[in-house]
Amino acid sequence: MTQAKKAFITGITGQDGSYLAELLLGKGYEVHGLIRRASTFNTARIDHLYVDSHNPDARLFLHYGDLSDGARMVTLLSEIRPDEVYNLAAQSHVRVSFDEPEHTGDTTGVGAMRLLEAVRLTGLHCRYYQASSSEMFGATPPPQNEETPFYPRSPYGAAKVYAYWVTKNYREAYGMFAVNGILFNHESPRRGETFVTRKITRAVARIKAGRQSELYMGNLDAIRDWGYAAEYAEGMWRMLQADAPDDFVLATGIGITVRDFLEASFSHAGLDWQKYVKFDPRYLRPTEVDALIGDASKAEEKLGWKATVAPDELARIMVDCDIEALEHGDGYIDQPRLSGWPLHSELRRG
Ligand code: NAP
Ligand code: GDD
């Protein structure tokens, strides 16, 4: 009998980590995830995947650790000996990175180097995925692809540029199979509540239910290329199955403004967004990224990956899930939301 492949995922409790864990378990992998010790449980996005480790069927294992602790990365990798490492952990909020620049640089930037160095020190021949970001392009106008120069506009963007280059450097210096997935914004019903799409779709559900009457927002002119996160997890996996390590953009190629996303979300629930949305300068950033629209033709050509969910359709999916979540309380919906991809049970969180 061939042994199941082992994957190690940092950031497994986040949006992308939960979709990737589902995908890999579905493919028969043994999945190991890094979680941070907290005084409360923070595993809501993966609870539906967890089987007690005493059960012989258990294939998901969680380990305490933090990307700020390089020694822990070494001990964990030597114990687990994974075939594939996915580095998804980061302080991932751009606005917060202006408030916590040092912490963001330490985890989002140097954290990647700690993990790469741990792979090197343990001598593992595993494949490494780095969660790079379209935020690295920053002020460089769209369309952006793998050849577009970086011009980060936030401590987060700058930290991701460092992580990108250190990944490339370990590939060139030590012959590692280390790749950068340069992912444009991707969202889902599992998206963190302070990112703009989820903030909007959650507010739509609450306004519709009479539980909220106003929504305070920042810059409505920003253009983003919003795709569906479950599809992007598939793209990450495909990058690590390629014959040779390379860097890839994943995006839908469609850019819409925050205002357009508001319109798509509110009108889907029969509401007029202009009656509820108010401006609050606290949500502006000291430097903004005006427009991100990706060109993912390399991923389509070399990996056979193409986004199928457009931003306006995504808005409708997220609004439906948030309305359903409010009606039924917290819990999981164990049914596929979209056809054409592996089953993804969607989170119900109010
Ligand atoms: P997310 O929901 O914010 O999840 C971030 C994850 O990182 C969480 O599991 C978090 O753990 C963990 N984490 C944070 N700091 C850590 C540390 N010091 N040590 C260990 N774990 C830590 O982010 P996401 O949307 O899933 O994104 C996944 C990755 O892709 C991130 O690196 C993000 O920057 C990058 N990315 C995201 C997008 C996007 O549009 N979603 C686009 C491009 C790139 P806790 O649960 O304990 O907080
Ligand atoms: N969060 C937030 N809240 N954003 C707002 C608001 C608000 O009230 N009002 C307007 N915006 C604008 C922001 O200024 C930004 O231009 C846009 O909405 C999107 O903001 P976010 O959803 O916070 O995402 P982001 O584009 O800054 O960053 C996300 O995408 C990156 C990839 O391009 C994050 O997921 C990053 O981790 C990721 O790398």
Side-chain angles (χ1 to χ4, degrees), residues 279-347:
F279 175 67
D280 185 338
R282 276 188 308 165
Y283 296 115
L284 297 178
R285 285 125 198 233
T287 39
E288 174 64 289
V289 169
D290 294 327
L292 294 173
I293 308 172
D295 166 10
S297 43
K298 180 175 166 186
E300 185 176 359
E301 188 192 322
K302 300 207 165 163
L303 305 174
W305 183 91
K306 191 170 166 55
T308 68
V309 180
D312 54 346
E313 188 188 349
L314 179 67
R316 293 192 289 273
I317 292 168
M318 290 173 67
V319 166
D320 286 343
C321 279
D322 273 322
I323 288 176
E324 218 174 314
L326 257 198
E327 283 168 0
H328 296 98
D330 277 5
Y332 289 96
I333 305 168
D334 282 313
Q335 59 187 22
R337 287 269 146 204
L338 299 160
S339 56
W341 291 93
L343 300 191
H344 298 289
S345 47
E346 288 299 4
L347 252 186

Side-chain angles (χ1 to χ4, degrees), residues 48 89 119 135 216 237 302 342:
H48 63 298
V119 172
E135 192 64 20
Y216 285 92
W237 176 76
K302 300 207 165 163

Side-chain angles (χ1 to χ4, degrees), residues 13-16 36 42 66-67 88 90 92 156 160 183 186:
T13 55
Q15 171 190 256
D16 290 7
R36 296 195 285 180
N42 61 352
D66 193 298
L67 272 194
L88 309 186
S92 71
Y156 169 83
K160 283 290 184 188
L183 273 49
H186 45 280

Side-chain angles (χ1 to χ4, degrees), residues 9-288:
I9 304 175
T10 72
I12 195 166
T13 55
Q15 171 190 256
D16 290 7
S18 70
Y19 282 114
L20 183 65
E22 261 175 34
L23 181 86
L24 297 180
L25 289 169
K27 289 183 184 295
Y29 280 62
E30 181 177 302
V31 175
H32 294 258
L34 183 74
I35 59 166
R36 296 195 285 180
R37 195 266 157 185
S39 65
T40 52
F41 287 123
N42 61 352
T43 53
R45 291 189 181 98
I46 50 170
D47 283 347
H48 63 298
L49 301 175
Y50 193 74
V51 174
D52 187 278
S53 58
H54 301 98
N55 185 322
D57 294 333
R59 282 187 297 116
L60 171 63
F61 303 94
L62 301 175
H63 309 266
Y64 283 122
D66 193 298
L67 272 194
S68 61
D69 182 352
R72 178 64 176 145
M73 295 307 113
V74 174
T75 55
L76 270 177
L77 288 183
S78 5
E79 273 168 42
I80 299 166
R81 307 198 68 76
D83 301 288
E84 295 173 10
V85 172
Y86 295 86
N87 183 30
L88 309 186
Q91 190 303 93
S92 71
H93 202 284
V94 173
R95 178 67 192 81
V96 171
S97 78
F98 288 98
D99 301 327
E100 298 187 12
E102 186 180 334
H103 169 71
T104 304
D106 188 40
T107 55
T108 307
V110 181
M113 185 272 286
R114 289 192 189 99
L115 191 54
L116 282 160
E117 186 64 357
V119 172
R120 187 179 77 83
L121 290 173
T122 47
L124 289 173
H125 292 288
C126 61
R127 297 186 168 202
Y128 175 93
Y129 174 88
Q130 171 59 29
S132 285
S133 165
S134 51
E135 192 64 20
M136 300 187 303
F137 299 126
T140 312
Q144 294 105 349
N145 66 19
E146 294 81 1
E147 305 306 319
T148 303
F150 298 143
Y151 188 155
R153 297 269 284 170
S154 64
Y156 169 83
K160 283 290 184 188
V161 169
Y162 172 81
Y164 169 95
W165 279 112
V166 85
T167 300
K168 208 155 168 144
N169 179 246
Y170 272 61
R171 177 161 91 211
E172 292 169 358
Y174 306 116
M176 270 188 203
F177 194 112
V179 311
N180 285 288
I182 308 173
L183 273 49
F184 282 62
N185 298 51
H186 45 280
E187 322 289 312
S188 73
R190 303 182 195 184
R191 186 57 146 149
E193 290 87 347
T194 61
F195 295 97
V196 78
T197 54
R198 185 79 199 290
K199 180 172 168 177
I200 293 170
T201 61
R202 208 164 156 262
V204 167
R206 292 175 58 80
I207 290 169
K208 184 93 182 152
R211 295 200 200 176
Q212 185 172 328
S213 55
E214 291 169 335
L215 172 62
Y216 285 92
M217 305 274 307
N219 174 22
L220 304 188
D221 295 323
I223 296 172
R224 290 291 183 276
D225 175 333
W226 284 293
Y228 176 51
E231 298 190 326
Y232 288 59
E234 169 78 23
M236 294 174 197
W237 176 76
R238 287 192 191 190
M239 285 181 216
L240 288 201
Q241 313 314 308
D243 292 338
D246 203 349
D247 305 322
F248 292 94
V249 158
L250 299 185
T252 71
I254 303 167
I256 66 169
T257 62
V258 174
R259 188 178 288 99
D260 294 332
F261 198 92
L262 277 167
E263 166 63 30
S265 306
F266 276 77
S267 64
H268 184 56
L271 298 169
D272 176 1
W273 69 271
Q274 303 200 54
K275 287 189 185 156
Y276 306 97
V277 173
K278 301 217 158 67
F279 175 67
D280 185 338
R282 276 188 308 165
Y283 296 115
L284 297 178
R285 285 125 198 233
T287 39
E288 174 64 289

